[in-house]
Amino acid sequence: MITRRTLMAAGGAALLASPLGGTMLFAAAPTARRFVFLIQRGAADGLGIVAPVGDPAFASQRGVLAEDFADAPKLDAMFALHPALAGVAALYRAGEARFVHAVASPYRERSHFDGQNVLETGGTAAYRLRDGWLNRLLSLLPAQQARAISISAAVPMALRGAEDVASYAPSALPDASDDLLARVASLYEGDAQLHAAWESATATRMLTSDLAADNGRNAAATGALAARLLAAENGARIAMIETGGWDTHAQQRGRLAAQLRGLDSLVGALKQGLGPLWSETMVLVATEFGRTVKVNGTGGTDHGTASVAMLLGGAVDGGRVTADWPGLGDAALFEGRDLRPTLGIDSLFGGAVAGHFGLDPARTMATLFPDSRAGATDGLVRA
Amino acid sequence: MSDVSIALNRFGLGGRAGDAPPQAPKRWLLDQFGAFEARPVALAQLPSTAAIAADLAHYLTDVRMQRREMRRAAPETMADPDPDAAPMRDPAQQARAFARRQGREVYSAAVGARAAAALDTPAPFVERLVHFWANHFAVSADKLTVTGLVGAFEFDAIRPHVLGRFADMLQAVERHPAMLLYLDQAQSVGPDSVAGKLVRRRRPDRALGLNENLAREILELHTLGVRTGYDQNDVTEFARALTGWTVAGLGNGPGARLAGVGDAPGSFVFAERLHEPGTRTILGRAYAQEAGEGQAAAVLDSLALHPATARHVATKLARHFAGDEPPASLVAKLEAAFLRTGGDLPSLYRVLVEAPECWVAAPVKFRTPWEWSLAAFRALGTREVPTQGVTNLVNQLGQPIWRPGSPAGYDDIAASWAGPDALMRRVEAAERMAQRTRNLVDARARAAELFPDALSEGTAQAIARAESPGQGLALLLVAPEFLRR
């Protein structure tokens, strides 16, 4: 039997690709696609990320927040990208980044937690569905590709459901002894919940124990970690990364810039770590809802409605912004305060994953968003 | 589980090595209302809120002065006046030094004191309730200006009211500097207040005005609960009523004089000059402008007695003691008691102790990392823990204390805590904790003591077959009965 310890001693994940590792693992198709869902918890300000600088109302509505875009890279005649996203801007120029603006889930209130629940379950209202759309996606994929991991100690809602998923976050705790691990396994044998969790935990540690040196505290390390989990031949094909800190109620300028620098280096590390696999990869970045169009009394923005989503990666048909732009004039705003949604995020999600994994769009929509009547957005993936 | 085991583990914080099991479990729980200490020894040595706030005030003053100089030097690179964002050059270093001080010396000491109080307490049921309420009214140390104050928040605003009325706890919580800073209330200015109008006249370019964060979270999280019939207009009106509720001494110079907030740093102050004048209408009820500070206080008092609040609090308490899917019958009983007594908390706790829904034999909850850590320390007979050790342990287990990442606090359901990696971490931590006992504890006897008449055959056998006393203890700490309550 190959124990975790011998794996570690021999160099961990590298060994898994060797003939020795191959006896316990199934062969993976070398071109299997990779998909990363990165959630921005806290309602990211889409107008501060991909700014409609060509909208005549932009500068007056955004006040001090518009200043970041004085010299920002232009994406097209209408939009400019926040300068902190330098790496993402380079992806855009290479045709590997696509922005979708004025997008929103069906949720129209302004509670983070309900909004995130809708975003992650794929329902039309909070708590209507019990499992996550990313978990349901697994049921549509061939077994070889249906392996998902959340880069967090707890499995987030989008990945919860009937299909088994793994979770992993770097730990500074010392590894427990193999003997104790074996005894714990038998201690949990008769306990369905603990048994399943333990099986998954030991399997994941097998794969990743050599990664524990990364403390994951900074964004680049998280990106590198995700890349290693996705690049391993027998590793995950789908990963979910949770990011927080987007709830910029006060002094948004400095905070959002810092958040975006982190996101930029995470994506950069992911691309670098995936190497040639980047061409098979799609990273979907989305948030539960956007923020108010006007700046509030403390240099920040309050909870709003529509925001921007990003598709990044070599598999993306990028280099353009998709938006049926509703305008920022007072009369155009949703409830007099927010960017008005013109595209459902379910259409975007469904179109993105159906295109990426070569699934039937209608079936994908019905499985991922059972209560939605929208169709999948077409043409997001490089032919 | 036996009733004694339920009292110790589900209601309490886990059995403590060397303690005799309670003879009459319900009596034991109810008697704790008299035994609870709002300010036990463990908390007495902590720095005062005034001292923490003074350090914060000094830091904010330094940052402000630095920025002024930088603006003078290079007006086009006008720095963003946010204490939380990483400022440039020198201020960044200052921020790091300040964060280290507040983090290591104040925050970690408070976490350690919280653990010590829970390990030493004669009233573990009430300590559990303190932790419950602190999570209900969550503030987060992730925000630099709040890091040092989160401990004081629980010790000053929660503990003294845990056996009082919900309304009193609510008022104390919403006035605490940690809450006012965390949810941006401290900076909120009425656009038509004296200060608001003055600034608009002098500096029309300057953003200064309303912030609705605290108002929204009070309605959504602290009182009524989400989707309970308030709308955006209620949120904005409540935010207007709350203007003027701020923290003294965290600014100085003309700004503080203008706002009238020059008192001792850290104390709650109502700054009339920031308050938006006018009558406010919230949930259909009008609140007169004459009340000043009392305007928002009156709103809080109405919210504290609102039927939706009763239902919200009842649901959360029922979930904490009777399972992730709280039994409707128990929610109804708690809700009725809340409405009947006007939110008298001991009356609700009595309902819990009396309710058969809380005494079902099968475990109903998966212990959170904090609960598990306390239970493990208590099981091992630890009374004093190194403060940095507790902080590191709960960080590694995935539930940093007072850092929930959102104002909703930590989830109170198994799905958040029973994940594969989380389980592996507990096993790793258990092995290390057990090793420290140097094989001096007999895990077989300890297991029987911790789970009176409630130890499973499988766990007893696994412990008995362990290769060393230490390994037996590690297995006890991660046994199914130890992971749940």
Side-chain angles (χ1 to χ4, degrees):
Chain A
M1 181 190 156
I2 301 168
T3 67
R4 196 166 58 112
R5 175 128 316 153
T6 52
L7 269 180
M8 281 165 60
L15 185 75
L16 294 172
S18 76
L20 181 59
T23 57
M24 52 183 275
L25 306 159
F26 42 88
T31 58
R33 296 223 144 184
R34 265 68 168 174
F35 179 76
V36 178
F37 176 42
L38 186 148
I39 186 168
Q40 299 168 300
R41 295 195 190 279
D45 180 31
L47 295 171
I49 299 172
V50 174
V53 292
D55 188 308
F58 175 71
S60 59
Q61 293 285 39
R62 296 298 275 180
V64 66
L65 299 183
E67 291 173 26
D68 283 324
F69 293 91
D71 300 311
K74 290 292 274 285
L75 300 171
D76 59 18
M78 173 64 94
F79 295 103
L81 188 65
H82 193 288
L85 290 173
V88 173
L91 293 180
Y92 185 83
R93 287 193 297 273
E96 294 184 344
R98 172 92 156 242
F99 305 102
V100 183
H101 221 317
V103 68
S105 83
Y107 179 70
R108 287 293 170 274
E109 305 297 317
R110 298 184 180 90
S111 153
H112 289 308
F113 319 109
D114 284 5
Q116 287 169 25
N117 186 271
V118 172
L119 185 75
E120 293 188 70
T121 57
T124 51
Y127 306 102
R128 193 158 299 165
L129 297 181
R130 292 281 176 164
D131 53 1
W133 66 267
L134 203 47
N135 190 285
R136 294 194 297 278
L137 170 65
L138 298 177
S139 70
L140 297 179
L141 300 178
Q144 207 182 65
Q145 284 184 327
R147 294 196 305 268
I149 189 162
S150 72
I151 311 218
S152 52
V155 177
M157 190 64 228
L159 266 177
R160 286 191 207 155
E163 305 288 326
D164 285 338
V165 302
S167 70
Y168 177 76
S171 161
L173 292 165
D175 286 335
S177 67
D178 287 339
D179 184 47
L180 180 63
L181 298 187
R183 286 168 193 261
V184 169
S186 72
L187 183 61
Y188 292 165
E189 235 156 40
D191 187 309
Q193 179 190 34
L194 295 176
H195 176 72
W198 190 249
E199 289 273 286
S200 168
T202 45
T204 306
R205 280 284 160 117
M206 284 268 198
L207 198 64
T208 57
S209 49
D210 62 324
L211 299 180
D214 277 351
N215 62 22
R217 246 170 293 181
N218 61 58
T222 304
L225 171 61
R228 292 165 85 179
L229 292 164
L230 287 164
E233 199 179 322
N234 62 329
R237 291 294 175 267
I238 292 173
M240 177 161 171
I241 300 175
E242 300 180 88
T243 65
W246 300 96
D247 196 16
T248 49
H249 277 285
Q251 315 310 346
Q252 172 168 307
R253 259 187 96 185
R255 274 191 216 191
L256 185 62
Q259 285 287 112
L260 292 174
R261 273 193 296 279
L263 177 64
D264 201 61
S265 51
L266 189 155
V267 172
L270 183 65
K271 176 176 191 277
Q272 189 182 11
L274 285 174
L277 283 171
W278 179 251
S279 65
E280 298 287 333
T281 297
M282 171 184 277
V283 182
L284 167 61
V285 181
T287 189
E288 68 264 25
F289 48 73
R291 311 194 66 85
T292 47
V293 170
K294 287 188 170 64
V295 186
N296 71 10
T298 50
T301 49
D302 291 314
H303 300 182
T305 306
S307 191
V308 74
M310 306 182 207
L311 292 173
L312 312 170
V316 174
D317 186 10
R320 67 180 100 171
V321 184
T322 300
D324 176 8
W325 191 244
L328 290 185
D330 281 339
L333 303 185
F334 178 72
E335 295 187 350
R337 56 181 262 155
D338 304 338
L339 177 62
R340 181 177 299 280
T342 53
L343 178 68
I345 212 157
D346 40 4
S347 297
L348 169 67
F349 285 9
V353 297
H356 189 55
F357 289 107
L359 303 170
D360 173 60
R363 184 159 169 246
T364 304
M365 288 304 289
T367 305
L368 269 49
F369 307 101
D371 299 332
S372 168
R373 283 190 298 275
T377 305
D378 201 18
L380 298 170
V381 175
R382 191 163 287 180
Chain B
M1 285 170 91
S2 62
D3 279 1
V4 185
S5 191
I6 289 171
L8 285 173
N9 293 290
R10 187 172 303 160
F11 285 93
L13 300 171
R16 191 164 54 184
D19 281 4
Q23 295 300 311
K26 290 186 182 174
R27 190 74 260 149
W28 176 69
L29 293 171
L30 295 173
D31 284 348
Q32 292 183 21
F33 299 168
F36 172 74
E37 293 171 81
R39 194 152 188 90
V41 175
L43 306 186
Q45 299 128 7
L46 295 173
S48 69
T49 304
I52 301 163
D55 188 30
L56 175 59
H58 281 142
Y59 159 73
L60 292 174
T61 307
D62 285 351
V63 169
R64 219 169 280 125
M65 280 168 56
Q66 291 273 1
R67 288 225 176 85
R68 208 169 303 140
E69 272 165 36
M70 280 166 55
R71 257 199 304 272
R72 247 198 304 271
E76 73 278 8
T77 60
M78 199 155 96
D80 129 45
D82 172 28
D84 283 11
M88 286 172 270
R89 285 191 329 214
D90 218 10
Q93 263 176 0
Q94 279 178 357
R96 273 197 296 276
F98 170 75
R100 260 199 310 278
R101 267 198 320 275
Q102 296 262 307
R104 196 169 44 215
E105 292 162 27
V106 185
Y107 167 82
S108 281
V111 172
R114 184 196 219 217
L119 299 181
D120 192 47
T121 183
F125 174 37
V126 189
E127 293 287 332
R128 164 180 293 289
L129 290 161
V130 167
H131 306 153
F132 170 87
W133 287 113
N135 191 55
H136 176 79
F137 293 111
V139 293
S140 175
D142 279 340
K143 198 161 182 168
L144 182 58
T145 51
V146 182
T147 311
L149 292 165
V150 285
F153 174 79
E154 177 172 307
F155 306 148
D156 299 343
I158 303 286
R159 291 189 75 94
H161 300 288
V162 67
L163 296 170
R165 291 171 65 236
F166 178 78
D168 295 332
M169 190 188 285
L170 181 68
Q171 295 277 358
V173 154
E174 311 303 356
R175 281 180 168 80
H176 197 277
M179 184 65 82
L180 294 167
L181 290 166
Y182 175 48
L183 292 178
D184 307 309
Q185 175 60 36
Q187 308 133 272
S188 187
V189 177
D192 290 320
S193 65
V194 174
K197 285 204 274 206
L198 206 65
V199 169
R200 202 163 53 230
R201 212 162 47 235
R202 283 187 197 158
R203 299 271 311 272
D205 56 316
R206 180 95 187 272
L208 192 69
L210 212 58
N211 187 306
E212 62 188 39
N213 203 11
L214 179 65
R216 177 183 301 283
E217 303 303 17
I218 289 174
L219 292 167
E220 176 178 331
L221 302 172
H222 300 171
T223 62
L224 307 180
V226 66
R227 292 177 309 260
T228 48
Y230 57 89
D231 60 19
Q232 179 58 43
N233 200 42
D234 293 316
V235 173
T236 314
E237 276 287 273
F238 190 16
R240 291 186 185 116
L242 277 165
T243 48
W245 283 43
T246 186
V247 184
L250 298 182
N252 61 5
R257 275 200 299 281
L258 175 70
V261 290
D263 299 355
S267 49
F268 170 79
V269 64
F270 175 71
E272 183 77 51
R273 275 171 279 189
L274 301 180
H275 183 64
E276 180 76 358
T279 296
R280 307 265 75 94
T281 304
I282 296 152
L283 296 170
R285 196 176 141 187
Y287 297 86
Q289 67 165 321
E290 292 77 30
E293 174 194 345
Q295 191 177 50
V299 181
L300 285 179
D301 277 336
S302 324
L303 292 172
L305 295 172
H306 196 284
T309 302
R311 151 85 29 152
H312 184 206
V313 166
T315 306
K316 286 186 79 170
L317 276 171
R319 178 177 296 126
H320 192 70
F321 288 96
D324 293 1
E325 297 289 339
S329 54
L330 179 60
V331 174
K333 279 185 249 184
L334 288 162
E335 190 181 350
F338 191 107
L339 294 171
R340 190 177 62 243
T341 65
D344 177 60
L345 298 176
S347 300
L348 301 186
Y349 309 153
R350 260 179 229 112
V351 170
L352 290 168
V353 171
E354 296 302 332
E357 292 90 336
C358 298
W359 294 89
V360 297
V364 294
K365 296 296 286 183
F366 197 87
R367 274 182 168 144
T368 65
W370 169 248
E371 293 171 340
W372 182 83
S373 303
L374 285 183
F377 285 131
R378 292 170 64 89
L380 299 177
T382 313
R383 291 288 177 116
E384 281 176 32
V385 285
T387 60
Q388 196 60 48
V390 185
T391 309
N392 291 346
L393 177 65
V394 289
N395 287 354
Q396 286 303 318
L397 294 177
Q399 192 187 22
I401 299 313
W402 301 314
R403 277 185 201 277
S406 97
Y410 285 111
D411 265 357
D412 196 9
I413 51 169
S416 301
W417 307 115
D421 195 65
L423 197 55
M424 178 62 84
R425 285 166 186 240
R426 288 193 197 185
V427 172
E428 291 168 346
E431 185 167 58
R432 189 191 252 194
M433 290 168 104
Q435 278 163 357
R436 294 217 181 100
T437 64
R438 283 171 283 152
N439 291 339
L440 293 174
V441 181
D442 184 337
R444 292 166 300 183
R446 187 62 51 86
E449 185 187 344
L450 298 175
F451 302 99
D453 302 318
L455 196 68
S456 75
E457 190 60 32
T459 299
Q461 208 171 68
I463 293 172
R465 288 179 184 167
E467 67 173 8
S468 67
Q471 191 183 61
L473 262 189
L475 287 166
L476 167 61
L477 297 182
V478 297
E481 46 268 74
F482 205 98
L483 293 173
R484 303 193 178 103
R485 62 175 173 91

